[in-house]
Amino acid sequence: MLDDTRRLNSFLRKTRRGHVLKITHELYLRTDITCGSHACHQCTIDQRTLLDKQMTNGNSLVSSGHYLIVDTNIILQQVDVLEDPLFTNVIVPQVVLDEVRHKSLAIYKRIRSIIAVPERKFFVFINEFNKNTFVLRKPGESPNDRNDRAIRKIAQFYNEHLKQQIPIVLLTDDIANRDLSRQDGLIAFSLKEYISTFNRPELLDRLVLKEESFDLEKDLGKRKEIIFPEHVSVSEVQRGIKSGKYLQGTFQASRENYLEANVFVQDSEKYNQLFVQGYRNLNRSVHDDVVAVEILPEQEWAIPFSLVIDDKDDDQGDLVIEQEETGLVVQGISSKRTPSCRVVAIIKRNWRQYCGILQQSLPGAKFHLFLPHERRIPKVRIESRQAEELKNSRVMVQIDHWPRSSRYPHGHFIKTLGKLGDKETENEVILAENDILHHEFPEAVLDCLPKLPWTITEEDLANRVDLRDFCIVSIDPPGCTDIDDALHCRLLENGNYECGVHIADVTHFVRPNTALDLEARERGTTVYLTDRRIDMLPVLLSGNLCSLRGGEERFAFSVRWEITTDAKIVNTIFHKSIIKSKSAMTYEQAQTIKDDSGMNDEIALSLRRLHSIAAQLRQTRLDRGALVLESSEVRFQLDTETHDPLSVVNKELRETNWLVEEFMLLANISVAEKIYELFPDCACLRKHPAPPISNFDPLVKAAETKGFQVKANTGKELADSLDGAVLLAHPYFNTMLRMLATRCMMQAVYFCSGFESDMKSFEHYGLATPIYTHFTSPIRRYADVLVHRLLAAGINADATFPDLLNKRVLQQICNNLNYRHRMAQYAARASVDLHTQLFFKNMNTDEDGYVFAVRKNALQILLPRYGLETTLFLRDKDGKSIGEFNEEEATQTINNLTIHMFDPVTVQISVDTYNIQRQRIQIHLVKPFIEGFSVSAIVKNKTTIDEVDNTITTPVKRLKVKSSK
């Protein structure tokens, strides 16, 4: 017999092998669980007491101040509304929070973040262990019905417990639950009913509406038709994948053609990538969704078209023309068909919040089209009552569902980001679109920081090697404050050199599993935008105590080699150290000192020795097949007050750049070998897989247009082919070829060695090294922090801890780091694009460039001076395409003039401001001159690639260079 405070909760669970288990949980119920209200005279009032005694949230439905109770669906579907500060004094039942956690971890984290803010007064009521609110599931009752009954029980408890002092309002969109609540005498409303009493149209816009609410065709008087095939059931997908009928993969939409996409297939020996073309075959997939696909019969395989096309700007309702259903037909010579598929089901939606603008709609329209900033995301239809106010604003929208009868997915408004075209707003878009964590560091993180003034103790001196008398220097870009690394080189008595790389000892300050460590782990990397830096660590560490500033004593993790004069490594040692950098130099300053034969002090001699060794290390790498690739990188000079771009400077690489690079590579390789030797199952490494040979097809084809043969069976073959592809009459040709080769590469990724069975898979293709990791930048990369901890534990310089040697935990961290690193790269590129557009906003100038790609209806033009690649559409004033496309030869012929890939051109650059919602850089052809298509040259602003001065500058008071390391 059970006592009054003990309950048994039993349920059945089916195992993977098909067995049925009966599981019984024993619960002990309590009577001392607080209700969390200051109005209560029975419960103890302490720091857990959040709910106010007096409130001002009365409205036309409930005139006096009241508490809110929310059910599971309100949180799962309407969390965007709950995040508004309007909602305070909210009771979140434990049963609701548990259900949300099981159904959506992302939503659970968001509601938890609201609960964590005391000012919001969201109180978690532990109903499942409270004797007064626990309910046992009845025979035949569904879990959902039991949970709804538990929520009603909580509302009844609060009414009785607080003796009706404060009204309790239950918010639920479940009609049955709402009706039962009212039958029990409770106050219950739908969320829409509740917020409609406030004069807040933006709150109503945030509501997630049901599919039937979006009956646009009914509003427009059109006949509703089914556009997309029905998705197959989950059980059928599982059977199909198991039998091989279906394949699973990640959907990647095209940036250039909204009717095309690729699916990167998992676990298929025959297909790594499949092509999808046409609305019906795309079947409501959104970029990054995990989908199930069915391979089409070979006679139905599609031909990828080199078209650059957008979805139309106007809202055609749900009309889909025949060509959009199956693909587009364009005259011209076509390549062979590509293995193609159709999407049969969505396995996992990876929808997120999207930034963009609202397209102009008819006056009084109820529904509006949202145009995402990310070109690979389809337009989204939303209902909004504030379209007029939002027409010149950047807004954020969430996709809710995509019915078969709608051309576009349906979603809801979340918030306004700011005025369209405002620099701060556009920066916010970049950060949001790339999921960059840029909030202020929480108090719990700041509490982990050391107190100032920071000093080195006797214990520190006893546990570290004192290198403060060594001639150690750092070399970094101008303006760098987060100095991770420093170097030294000295002559030994035996004629060899001792070279050392000294890396900031971040792990001395960032201890495992502290709030500071967890925040850095989540951020993953420092993000460098053109006009700002978003640190992984608080500035006290990143710009001060960890930064190896000149003339200041700092903790370091050192790697020292004894190296012969012909760059052969004799010995390697690793240890913690104390250093005092003799000088923090820029690359230009270091280059000047090295080259000045009149300077023979200790720093100059050290730099020359380092250069001699680095040159030999570099040649050895290149002889092994390491690749020298290119990308268009520029640096902006910014106004010190407005941070607007004033000039664009091509990134100049000096000998000191690759001097530092070679020693950083050597340190990373040496540490990788060491941690793998010490911890073969849990070493944090970085690999760069060799690309499939098919990846090089665009490169091979491009080289053939100039008579060169590129071989890419091995990295060494590719490197030799690129070295040989030189045109004396066209100096920039080899650079462009290397840029194309860069685009053929796979993404380098972090991984845990314990999940790779063959060490051959550790290889770094680009660097031509069998093993590699990141050790040299722990201030700005969390992967390096992990590597420091592994190395320190292995050489007994620090203690280990369980998670450090848990390969599953390590792989999970690596997955997040890969994602964060990729997003940081995207954000940096987007920031450059933004500042390029700002730079040209009030300019109209001519610039020399090259044809970098030939499309069916456009030319891709590369402008090296600005690191800019943009599209020149080949169409007349009426929008009709001109020119004859030859895919085999990669040419366009217009009025008997044939344009080839890599041809030099002159274009006129400006910013198209006609449509304020879609301002963009536009170019017009100046040379070669084509009658009726080209424009006249602007001689006064004309610059050429061959000029010595590689900057274009507007008059300024003073310049401040912002750069990223």
Side-chain angles (χ1 to χ4, degrees):
M1 178 150 181
L2 297 178
D3 61 47
D4 200 31
T5 61
R6 185 166 168 250
R7 296 288 187 274
L8 296 179
N9 188 19
S10 300
F11 57 93
L12 301 178
R13 175 175 292 173
K14 191 174 183 179
T15 68
R16 291 182 179 180
R17 294 186 177 182
H19 302 302
V20 177
L21 297 179
K22 182 178 181 180
I23 298 176
T24 300
H25 288 168
E26 188 174 23
L27 302 176
Y28 288 88
L29 304 181
R30 299 171 56 173
T31 58
D32 60 346
I33 294 176
T34 179
C35 69
S37 173
H38 282 282
C40 179
H41 300 295
Q42 303 176 48
C43 299
T44 303
I45 295 179
D46 54 22
Q47 69 273 13
R48 296 172 296 171
T49 306
L50 294 175
L51 304 174
D52 290 329
K53 186 175 183 179
Q54 301 290 333
M55 291 151 290
T56 59
N57 60 347
N59 53 49
S60 61
L61 293 176
V62 187
S63 57
S64 59
H66 50 273
Y67 295 156
L68 298 172
I69 297 179
V70 291
D71 72 357
T72 305
N73 286 332
I74 290 291
I75 294 179
L76 284 174
Q77 297 178 10
Q78 311 291 359
V79 69
D80 293 322
V81 179
L82 295 180
E83 286 177 332
D84 191 276
L86 173 74
F87 288 87
T88 59
N89 291 287
V90 178
I91 299 166
V92 182
Q94 175 199 354
V95 64
V96 169
L97 206 57
D98 289 344
E99 196 171 2
V100 170
R101 185 178 70 245
H102 292 142
K103 291 188 174 181
S104 174
L105 189 57
I107 300 296
Y108 176 75
K109 289 180 178 179
R110 289 175 67 182
I111 194 66
R112 268 295 182 189
S113 68
I114 300 174
I115 294 169
V117 180
E119 294 76 16
R120 294 298 305 278
K121 302 185 185 303
F122 272 58
F123 176 71
V124 178
F125 178 62
I126 311 300
N127 67 291
E128 296 290 62
F129 296 96
N130 191 315
K131 181 183 176 182
N132 298 305
T133 56
F134 175 80
V135 297
L136 200 61
R137 184 176 167 190
K138 297 177 180 178
E141 187 178 36
S142 72
N144 183 66
D145 289 343
R146 180 264 172 193
N147 291 345
D148 285 347
R149 187 161 55 88
I151 295 169
R152 296 195 297 273
K153 180 75 171 178
I154 294 167
Q156 291 170 343
F157 164 76
Y158 268 91
N159 278 331
E160 297 168 2
H161 187 71
L162 300 178
K163 304 184 185 308
Q164 306 289 336
Q165 296 179 71
I166 297 176
I168 306 298
V169 177
L170 174 59
L171 294 181
T172 175
D173 286 339
D174 186 320
I175 297 175
N177 192 24
R178 199 160 60 240
D179 290 343
L180 288 171
S181 299
R182 290 169 178 171
Q183 290 174 20
D184 292 341
L186 301 173
I187 304 173
F189 301 108
S190 70
L191 186 59
K192 185 175 183 179
E193 287 174 329
Y194 183 78
I195 65 176
S196 294
T197 62
F198 302 96
N199 188 23
R200 295 280 302 276
E202 75 279 9
L203 277 183
L204 289 170
D205 285 356
R206 290 187 201 175
L207 286 173
V208 176
L209 301 180
K210 297 180 180 179
E211 291 187 18
E212 55 267 25
S213 300
F214 285 88
D215 199 351
L216 179 70
E217 304 299 331
K218 180 180 178 182
D219 289 350
L220 297 179
K222 298 179 181 178
R223 182 167 57 88
K224 204 168 188 70
E225 296 182 356
I226 299 300
I227 300 173
F228 298 102
E230 186 174 0
H231 289 147
V232 301
S233 65
V234 174
S235 57
E236 187 176 343
V237 167
Q238 293 172 341
R239 289 194 300 269
I241 291 176
K242 189 173 182 179
S243 66
K245 179 182 178 181
Y246 301 142
L247 297 174
Q248 178 176 328
T250 303
F251 183 88
Q252 298 286 299
S254 169
R255 288 183 182 274
E256 297 180 341
N257 187 335
Y258 73 100
L259 293 174
E260 293 183 348
N262 288 288
V263 174
F264 291 88
V265 181
Q266 304 171 11
D267 304 324
S268 173
E269 296 181 359
K270 189 174 182 181
Y271 300 105
N272 293 320
Q273 182 176 331
L274 292 168
F275 182 63
V276 194
Q277 188 181 75
Y279 250 109
R280 293 190 183 277
N281 290 336
L282 295 171
N283 200 5
R284 294 169 283 165
S285 302
V286 176
H287 181 69
D288 276 342
D289 281 350
V290 179
V291 298
V293 299
E294 182 178 30
I295 298 174
L296 296 174
E298 191 166 344
Q299 62 270 21
E300 296 181 24
W301 285 2
I303 302 170
F305 291 107
S306 301
L307 283 169
V308 182
I309 58 173
D310 285 320
D311 200 353
K312 293 182 179 179
D313 286 341
D314 56 336
D315 186 357
Q316 299 291 327
D318 286 327
L319 176 66
V320 176
I321 63 175
E322 182 179 352
Q323 287 177 323
E324 289 181 312
E325 291 183 4
T326 55
L328 299 174
V329 179
V330 178
Q331 293 182 348
I333 302 172
S334 298
S335 59
K336 63 182 181 180
R337 295 179 180 271
T338 302
S340 304
C341 65
R342 67 182 183 94
V343 175
V344 297
I346 310 297
I347 295 175
K348 181 184 178 184
R349 287 291 192 191
N350 281 320
W351 292 343
R352 56 177 175 82
Q353 296 176 345
Y354 302 103
C355 303
I357 56 176
L358 292 187
Q359 287 188 184
Q360 292 183 351
S361 304
L362 294 174
K366 181 180 179 182
F367 298 107
H368 308 272
L369 278 183
F370 165 81
L371 181 65
H373 179 80
E374 169 58 71
R375 291 172 57 90
R376 293 176 293 188
I377 303 300
K379 296 176 184 179
V380 183
R381 183 173 287 131
I382 68 169
E383 181 182 9
S384 178
R385 299 152 186 82
Q386 47 180 343
E388 186 63 27
E389 293 83 359
L390 298 177
K391 66 180 181 181
N392 291 325
S393 300
R394 291 282 187 191
V395 298
M396 187 174 282
V397 161
Q398 173 81 48
I399 298 178
D400 299 325
H401 40 253
W402 195 341
R404 293 175 60 198
S405 56
S406 175
R407 176 189 180 108
Y408 304 112
H410 297 165
H412 67 274
F413 166 86
I414 295 175
K415 64 179 178 179
T416 304
L417 297 172
K419 186 179 178 182
L420 190 65
D422 178 75
K423 185 180 175 185
E424 286 305 312
T425 300
E426 301 304 328
N427 268 326
E428 189 64 30
V429 169
I430 290 172
L431 296 173
E433 276 294 300
N434 295 286
D435 196 17
I436 302 300
L437 303 178
H438 60 291
H439 54 266
E440 296 292 329
F441 287 101
E443 284 298 323
V445 171
L446 299 179
D447 289 343
C448 298
L449 298 176
K451 307 302 179 186
L452 295 179
W454 174 76
T455 57
I456 297 174
T457 66
E458 290 298 324
E459 183 182 358
D460 295 328
L461 288 170
N463 293 326
R464 293 173 179 270
V465 179
D466 192 344
L467 301 180
R468 287 176 290 183
D469 292 333
F470 280 43
C471 182
I472 296 173
V473 298
S474 64
I475 309 173
D476 292 281
C480 180
T481 59
D482 53 342
I483 303 173
D484 292 282
D485 53 83
L487 307 99
H488 87 272
C489 182
R490 60 176 184 153
L491 184 63
L492 300 177
E493 293 181 356
N494 61 4
N496 291 339
Y497 294 130
E498 182 191 81
C499 297
V501 166
H502 312 277
I503 306 302
D505 188 7
V506 171
T507 56
H508 174 81
F509 301 98
V510 182
R511 304 308 296 168
N513 293 322
T514 60
L516 176 58
D517 180 50
L518 297 177
E519 180 74 17
R521 180 192 301 181
E522 183 64 22
R523 294 188 178 216
T525 181
T526 293
V527 181
Y528 294 92
L529 304 184
T530 302
D531 60 345
R532 69 187 65 182
R533 187 182 78 204
I534 301 168
D535 289 313
M536 181 183 79
L537 298 172
V539 69
L540 178 63
L541 297 181
S542 63
N544 186 354
L545 299 183
C546 290
S547 183
L548 306 182
R549 304 195 297 197
E552 299 189 24
E553 296 180 351
R554 291 291 182 261
F555 289 159
F557 207 148
S558 299
V559 185
R560 294 158 65 189
W561 303 272
E562 181 181 345
I563 302 180
T564 64
T565 54
D566 57 351
K568 299 293 189 295
I569 296 175
V570 178
N571 186 36
T572 306
I573 59 173
F574 308 90
H575 60 77
K576 296 285 187 87
S577 61
I578 301 175
I579 69 168
K580 185 176 182 180
S581 173
K582 297 296 184 287
S583 179
M585 299 179 287
T586 66
Y587 290 112
E588 184 178 6
Q589 290 168 341
Q591 187 71 43
T592 301
I593 293 171
K594 183 191 79 68
D595 293 342
D596 188 346
S597 58
M599 296 187 68
N600 290 293
D601 60 8
E602 194 174 10
I603 291 178
L605 293 175
S606 180
L607 288 174
R608 290 174 193 138
R609 293 169 187 149
L610 287 168
H611 173 262
S612 173
I613 298 298
Q616 296 177 75
L617 292 173
R618 180 179 176 84
Q619 190 57 52
T620 301
R621 278 199 313 109
L622 296 177
D623 290 343
R624 287 201 308 263
L627 300 174
V628 179
L629 303 176
E630 294 283 351
S631 62
S632 53
E633 294 186 53
V634 295
R635 182 183 299 126
F636 290 90
Q637 292 181 331
L638 305 178
D639 186 283
T640 53
E641 297 176 0
T642 66
H643 297 284
D644 288 337
L646 301 170
S647 67
V648 184
V649 184
N650 281 105
K651 187 174 180 180
E652 182 180 354
L653 295 180
R654 299 177 172 85
E655 290 178 338
T656 46
N657 286 85
W658 54 257
L659 180 157
V660 174
E661 179 187 10
E662 288 305 318
F663 277 99
M664 296 306 112
L665 292 176
L666 180 61
N668 288 335
I669 293 170
S670 299
V671 170
E673 293 170 344
K674 187 66 175 179
I675 62 173
Y676 182 64
E677 173 192 328
L678 295 168
F679 304 107
D681 286 333
C682 54
C684 177
L685 303 175
R686 186 166 176 83
K687 63 180 178 180
H688 182 208
I693 195 68
S694 59
N695 278 27
F696 294 104
D697 289 347
L699 174 66
V700 171
K701 189 174 179 180
E704 286 176 348
T705 64
K706 294 298 181 182
F708 292 101
Q709 183 180 7
V710 171
K711 296 181 179 180
N713 292 311
T714 65
K716 176 64 174 170
E717 273 193 356
L718 176 61
D720 292 342
S721 296
L722 293 174
D723 288 343
V726 176
L727 290 174
L728 297 178
H730 194 337
Y732 204 71
F733 167 72
N734 187 261
T735 300
M736 288 192 287
L737 212 58
R738 292 180 187 273
M739 291 172 68
L740 285 173
T742 302
R743 300 181 184 192
C744 301
M745 296 295 123
M746 304 289 284
Q747 185 81 30
V749 292
Y750 299 108
F751 70 102
C752 173
S753 58
F755 284 91
E756 299 287 347
S757 57
D758 184 5
M759 192 174 172
K760 186 171 177 58
S761 62
F762 292 8
E763 291 181 353
H764 196 293
Y765 178 81
L767 297 176
T769 180
I771 193 169
Y772 191 66
T773 194
H774 274 160
F775 166 78
T776 54
S777 295
I779 293 178
R780 59 189 179 94
R781 289 189 307 232
Y782 190 79
D784 303 56
V785 173
L786 290 176
V787 171
H788 276 229
R789 288 174 178 163
L790 285 165
L791 182 59
I795 63 173
N796 296 318
D798 203 347
T800 185
F801 56 98
D803 281 356
L804 184 65
L805 304 181
N806 186 324
K807 66 179 184 179
R808 286 180 174 78
V809 171
L810 183 59
Q811 186 59 51
Q812 289 174 356
I813 296 173
C814 287
N815 293 340
N816 179 63
L817 297 181
N818 291 329
Y819 170 74
R820 293 295 175 194
H821 181 73
R822 187 168 65 251
M823 292 298 104
Q825 288 181 319
Y826 294 161
R829 294 171 194 167
S831 182
V832 170
D833 291 343
L834 170 62
H835 283 77
T836 302
Q837 181 173 319
L838 292 173
F839 178 70
F840 285 111
K841 190 170 184 178
N842 298 312
M843 291 179 63
N844 193 18
T845 185
D846 292 352
E847 178 63 29
D848 288 345
Y850 298 99
V851 177
F852 200 46
V854 180
R855 309 292 190 196
K856 278 186 170 65
N857 62 338
L859 302 175
Q860 294 296 120
I861 305 297
L862 176 67
L863 305 173
R865 184 178 310 284
Y866 303 110
L868 178 64
E869 185 180 338
T870 189
T871 304
L872 176 64
F873 286 98
L874 302 177
R875 55 195 179 200
D876 58 22
K877 295 178 180 179
D878 298 324
K880 185 179 178 181
S881 294
I882 62 173
E884 183 180 340
F885 176 63
N886 187 319
E887 187 176 359
E888 290 300 316
E889 298 181 6
T891 63
Q892 280 278 3
T893 302
I894 310 169
N895 296 347
N896 296 321
L897 175 68
T898 300
I899 300 176
H900 302 79
M901 191 173 181
F902 303 119
D903 278 358
V905 295
T906 301
V907 296
Q908 198 169 104
I909 313 171
S910 61
V911 175
D912 180 9
T913 58
Y914 176 75
N915 185 344
I916 190 172
Q917 290 189 315
R918 301 191 70 179
Q919 295 187 32
R920 63 183 73 181
I921 288 179
Q922 63 178 0
I923 59 173
H924 298 283
L925 186 66
V926 176
K927 293 181 181 178
F929 183 78
I930 298 175
E931 186 69 36
F933 182 71
S934 297
V935 298
S936 301
I938 303 175
V939 178
K940 61 179 180 179
N941 288 335
K942 174 75 164 55
T943 59
T944 63
I945 291 172
D946 298 325
E947 290 178 10
V948 175
D949 181 12
N950 64 351
T951 69
I952 294 182
T953 310
T954 54
V956 297
K957 296 178 182 177
R958 52 199 173 101
L959 297 178
K960 181 178 180 181
V961 178
K962 292 289 187 89
S963 59
S964 61
K965 182 180 176 184

